[in-house]
Amino acid sequence: MQPSKTWLLSILILSIAITSIHYTDNAIYVHEYPEPEWFTTSGVFITWGVMTAIAIISYWLYSRQNYWLSYFLLGIYAGTGLSSPAHYFYGELSRFSVKMHILIWTDVFAGLSVVTFLTWSLLIAQEWRSNKEIEE
């Protein structure tokens, strides 16, 4: 396996683990998180499922050198982690437990990890320049 695939797979596994903990906590304690009224337990789980599917599909596309679509989906997936501080729009900091703060910021870390890989692959390694026909 190429090192870049191994890195992406590791980052996505870590991110999926982190988001599963955060989203599960959010779903179980949905009424304790300061959030909009339309937030529901089932909505949180559905959102996590969709976002996890996007992460898996993005890896699958990346491993098949369909870089641009993979980059697009990785960007969407990273956005979910990076948007976790939006929780703070719905309540004062004092309304969040220490656990909630930790889960929100580990989600941000996961999103930043995906963005870091995406930036490296796109701008530094420029893997999108590889030609499938030449490599096969």
Side-chain angles (χ1 to χ4, degrees), residues 83-108:
S83 68
S84 284
H87 282 292
Y88 298 128
F89 289 130
Y90 298 98
E92 296 178 19
L93 291 177
S94 61
R95 292 194 53 209
F96 293 86
S97 69
V98 171
K99 173 190 71 172
M100 291 174 181
H101 288 297
I102 291 169
L103 292 174
I104 288 167
W105 290 103
T106 54
D107 236 12
V108 171

Side-chain angles (χ1 to χ4, degrees), residues 69-85:
L69 187 53
S70 175
Y71 293 157
F72 175 73
L73 293 177
L74 284 170
I76 291 172
Y77 181 70
T80 61
L82 297 175
S83 68
S84 284

Side-chain angles (χ1 to χ4, degrees), residues 35-72:
E35 299 182 304
E37 302 225 356
W38 50 265
F39 248 57
T40 64
T41 297
S42 59
V44 172
F45 281 129
I46 290 168
T47 300
W48 182 81
V50 169
M51 296 316 299
T52 299
I54 287 173
I56 292 166
I57 292 167
S58 69
Y59 175 78
W60 180 79
L61 290 166
Y62 181 86
S63 67
R64 280 152 185 73
Q65 297 180 337
N66 191 340
Y67 295 116
W68 289 109
L69 187 53
S70 175
Y71 293 157
F72 175 73

Side-chain angles (χ1 to χ4, degrees), residues 1-19 55-56 58-60 62-63 74 77 106 109-118 120:
M1 183 181 286
Q2 292 175 315
S4 60
K5 284 187 200 177
T6 304
W7 274 106
L8 178 58
L9 182 60
S10 300
I11 289 167
L12 290 177
I13 288 170
L14 176 66
S15 181
I16 289 169
I18 287 170
T19 58
I56 292 166
S58 69
Y59 175 78
W60 180 79
Y62 181 86
S63 67
L74 284 170
Y77 181 70
T106 54
F109 169 78
L112 285 172
S113 298
V114 174
V115 168
T116 300
F117 177 85
L118 182 58
W120 171 83

